[in-house]
Amino acid sequence: MKIDARELAAALAPAVLGAFALGAAAALLLATAEPAERATLIELLGPRTALVVMLWFFLSLAGGVCARWAWRHYAAAPGRLAEQLQVELARGEARDMPSTASPRAPLVEGSPGARALATAVQALVQQRDGLRADIAARVAEASQDVEQERNRLAALMAELTQSVVVCNLDGRILLFNARARLQFRALVSAAGTGPAIGGAEAIGLGRSIYAVLDRRLVAHAIEAVQQRLQRGAASPSAQFVTATASGQLLRVQMAPVRTPGAGAGDALAGFVLMLDNITRDMADEGERDRLVHSLTEGSRGALGNLQAAVELLDDPALDAPTRERFLAVIRDEIAGMSRRLNEAAAQGARVLKTRWPLEDMLGADLVAAALLRIEAVHGCRATAAEVDATLWLRVDSYSLIQALLHLTGRLVEDMGLQRVRIRLQPSGERAQLDLVWAGQAMSTETVMAWETEPLKVGSDTSALTVRDVVERHAGAFWFERERARQEAFFRFLLPLAAETAPLEAAAVTSQPSRPEFYDFDLFAQGSQGAALSERTLADLAYTVFDTESTGLAPSQGDEIFQIGATRIVAGKLRRQECLEQLVD
């Protein structure tokens, strides 16, 4: 046990003081006494020296015990309390201070005031620990909420069908979604400038958006947004159209990312780009413009010729050859107008057929939707029979249901049917969808008329026909009768959904569950004007390479047979931007 020097000094102090007092008293007596008295005093005390020493010893022992007790209870208690407070300040976990209720921990010994002070300090420490626990719980709860928000953001960004890219003012990409990644990958592939190996992406976290978009166009849009911000616009935005290296047209809409609490002049921290490939839309619009121009200009001339010919035909003095010539002009102009109108109608039908894209759909869901619509529109009973619940189709559900409604409506109006059935079964590499009814059959001419007339559902009429819907699905349609069952049906042959290719094992094991589509920490990395040698690795975007070789002596024939690489941006490894390639 370590001995406290101050406590030892307190215990020995009475003995030292007693010895000093006895020595001083003896010296004083001997100095002031006469020689005869001094001899007499020595003669009296000499034999009793042991008794005096014993008396000094016991008095010193009692005084030392009292002094030690007084030291421990009055002088040393504040020091020990200060040491325990320093320990409490230095530690982080919650723990009770020594108390009278704990026999394993010594009490802060001392006077009642010292013990009360220790109790008050212990209460303060417990209160502090309670506040720490409460703050830790709140921080954990807030961290969990932030993580949930991050997960929701990642899920939303991954599922958005709109291409979205977020950049800081330097053009470094901070966020993008899967749609943008696929779109830029397709654009690079179409341009023929894509990477030969490794599958490197055109965009990625920390990459520059100026690698795929013209810097001048983006800078002009940023200036326009900043000017509108300075004018106090609530929702400033800018829009421009640019052509890619592959000849595709992109419509880009820019919106600002503002710094909360900043002034109007420096409120812009970055920008959001929403991209649409409008190449097909521009082609369709050009075709429509050409068609409208052909109709208007061609019809204007034809109408003028018709009007002139009709006015001249009213002349009673007109001879027969001239009249015949004018009638020929009228017939030619009418034929031209009919041809142009037919071309416009055909073009409109083609646009309608491609307006609704084909999508994967569970066959049972398609049948259920069709049954509900038939009963709601025509009021007849519609049931399902022999429906394969595992069958997936690739169809335009809207136009297909419209075709079923049209045919059912004709059956109800012309044949007075009150009950139909729908069945769906696989047929080789396709699926057969049947609209079945019991009753009389119909002629081939009637079936062809229903197949080629415009779809009519209630009071709505479409330019599409059943034949157009079938051609849209690259399928087939016919009428058939089952004499044994006394039933007839219309049959559609429809394409099946393509099977999803299984994922490679390496893709499943080496990639996280959700790709890394954003890193808002890159907002803090503004313009990098310092030299590369003066910046830390955490401030740089770089690529780490690794190679596998047959040995470490190239001069003796060792060769590289595999190379791998991964990007690191803002000190974080980007698992979605890795390269792994065998080398021959």
Side-chain angles (χ1 to χ4, degrees):
M1 181 178 178
K2 184 178 180 181
I3 298 176
D4 190 352
R6 293 173 298 176
E7 182 179 351
L8 181 60
L12 296 177
V16 174
L17 292 175
F20 178 77
L22 289 176
L28 184 60
L29 288 174
L30 292 176
T32 58
E34 294 296 331
E37 293 175 348
R38 187 182 302 117
T40 303
L41 185 61
I42 293 174
E43 184 179 357
L44 289 173
L45 294 177
R48 296 174 178 83
T49 302
L51 181 61
V52 173
V53 172
M54 187 178 297
L55 179 61
W56 166 79
F57 174 78
F58 284 109
L59 290 175
S60 297
L61 180 62
V65 171
C66 293
R68 181 176 179 273
W69 179 87
W71 170 266
R72 292 179 60 87
H73 285 72
Y74 291 96
R80 290 197 299 272
L81 181 59
E83 292 178 355
Q84 292 176 2
L85 284 176
Q86 291 176 356
V87 172
E88 292 297 326
L89 291 174
R91 69 176 176 83
E93 67 278 3
R95 185 187 64 184
D96 289 341
M97 289 183 64
S99 63
T100 55
S102 176
R104 294 172 297 176
L107 173 68
V108 177
E109 300 173 355
S111 64
R115 289 195 296 270
L117 178 61
T119 303
V121 171
Q122 180 178 348
L124 289 175
V125 170
Q126 291 176 347
Q127 184 178 9
R128 183 206 62 176
D129 293 338
L131 291 175
R132 280 183 175 179
D134 183 61
I135 293 174
R138 291 179 180 273
V139 169
E141 182 179 357
S143 300
Q144 185 177 5
D145 292 341
V146 170
E147 185 64 25
Q148 290 178 354
E149 292 297 329
R150 289 170 62 91
N151 291 335
R152 292 192 189 102
L153 175 62
L156 288 173
M157 292 303 302
E159 299 301 329
L160 277 179
T161 58
Q162 175 84 20
S163 297
V164 179
V165 180
V166 179
C167 306
N168 63 9
L169 288 179
D170 294 333
R172 299 184 70 189
I173 296 175
L174 316 180
L175 176 149
F176 64 96
N177 62 347
R179 179 67 177 176
R181 186 182 207 174
L182 294 176
Q183 186 173 72
F184 280 108
R185 181 186 296 174
L187 293 176
V188 171
S189 300
T193 58
I197 61 172
E201 301 291 343
I203 63 174
L205 294 178
R207 296 185 187 273
S208 176
I209 192 64
Y210 302 128
V212 289
L213 295 179
D214 190 343
R215 180 187 293 268
R216 293 169 296 179
L217 285 174
V218 177
H220 178 72
I222 292 175
E223 290 178 0
V225 170
Q226 287 177 331
Q227 290 175 359
R228 291 166 188 168
L229 280 174
Q230 292 173 355
R231 290 198 300 266
S235 301
S237 64
Q239 184 172 303
F240 61 90
V241 176
T242 182
T244 65
S246 60
Q248 304 290 309
L249 291 177
L250 287 182
R251 180 174 57 217
V252 183
Q253 184 175 359
M254 176 184 291
V257 177
R258 299 188 233 187
T259 302
D266 55 352
L268 193 61
F271 52 88
V272 181
L273 300 178
M274 289 166 284
L275 306 101
D276 289 308
N277 191 331
I278 59 172
T279 306
R280 179 174 296 178
D281 295 339
M282 295 295 291
D284 292 341
E285 290 180 4
E287 182 64 22
R288 284 196 298 269
D289 293 341
R290 185 196 64 78
L291 187 60
V292 170
H293 182 270
S294 174
L295 282 175
T296 55
E297 297 301 323
S299 299
R300 183 180 293 110
L303 288 174
N305 293 334
L306 288 174
Q307 184 177 1
V310 170
E311 291 176 353
L312 292 174
L313 286 175
D314 290 338
D315 187 0
L318 195 65
D319 58 2
T322 304
R323 183 180 298 273
E324 184 63 29
R325 189 168 64 253
F326 285 150
L327 290 175
V329 170
I330 293 175
R331 285 192 294 268
D332 291 343
E333 295 297 343
I334 291 176
M337 292 180 66
S338 300
R339 183 177 64 257
R340 287 189 291 271
L341 288 175
N342 290 334
E343 290 177 356
Q347 177 67 17
R350 286 194 296 270
V351 172
L352 285 176
K353 285 192 292 184
T354 58
R355 176 178 297 174
W356 304 98
L358 298 181
E359 59 184 7
D360 294 347
M361 186 176 186
L362 188 62
D365 293 341
L366 175 67
V367 172
L371 295 177
L372 290 175
R373 291 284 293 151
I374 288 173
E375 292 185 349
V377 174
H378 300 299
C380 64
R381 180 171 176 77
T383 58
E386 303 176 21
V387 175
D388 189 340
T390 63
L391 208 59
W392 280 85
L393 309 176
R394 185 163 184 79
V395 295
D396 172 7
S397 58
Y398 175 79
S399 61
L400 187 57
I401 291 178
Q402 291 294 100
L404 291 173
L405 287 172
H406 169 74
L407 294 174
T408 304
R410 300 295 292 174
L411 291 173
V412 172
E413 294 175 3
D414 295 359
M415 303 176 61
L417 293 181
Q418 297 298 321
R419 181 185 178 91
V420 294
R421 291 185 294 117
I422 297 180
R423 61 191 179 195
L424 178 65
Q425 292 292 322
S427 177
E429 296 181 355
R430 293 180 176 268
Q432 53 188 28
L433 178 68
D434 298 338
L435 179 64
V436 187
W437 71 92
Q440 60 181 354
M442 61 185 65
S443 63
T444 305
E445 291 79 7
T446 302
V447 174
M448 292 185 62
W450 291 4
E451 182 183 358
T452 55
E453 66 184 4
L455 298 180
K456 184 178 180 181
V457 179
S459 59
D460 298 332
T461 302
S462 171
L464 289 176
T465 65
V466 174
R467 182 172 296 176
D468 292 334
V469 174
V470 173
E471 290 177 355
R472 175 75 180 96
H473 292 82
F477 171 82
W478 68 84
F479 165 75
E480 192 171 334
R481 178 173 176 81
E482 294 181 350
R483 298 184 181 275
R485 297 185 180 182
Q486 295 296 316
E487 291 181 342
F489 58 87
F490 292 118
R491 172 162 292 175
F492 293 83
L493 276 186
L494 303 173
L496 296 174
E499 295 184 0
T500 303
L503 292 176
E504 297 181 1
V508 176
T509 56
S510 63
Q511 302 293 345
S513 59
R514 180 177 292 119
E516 297 168 330
F517 288 139
Y518 64 94
D519 188 350
F520 293 134
D521 292 339
L522 297 177
F523 264 124
Q525 299 188 9
S527 179
Q528 304 292 344
L532 290 179
S533 59
E534 299 176 0
R535 287 155 58 186
T536 63
L537 287 178
D539 295 332
L540 297 176
Y542 53 94
T543 303
V544 179
F545 287 90
D546 182 34
T547 60
E548 295 291 341
S549 60
T550 57
L552 300 178
S555 60
Q556 299 178 11
D558 290 334
E559 296 180 347
I560 294 173
F561 64 85
Q562 189 176 18
I563 186 170
T566 182
R567 287 188 75 231
I568 296 180
V569 182
K572 300 174 185 176
L573 189 148
R574 305 302 176 183
R575 300 183 182 275
Q576 302 300 318
E577 300 184 59
C578 297
L579 176 145
E580 183 178 346
Q581 182 72 30
L582 294 175
V583 179
D584 185 357

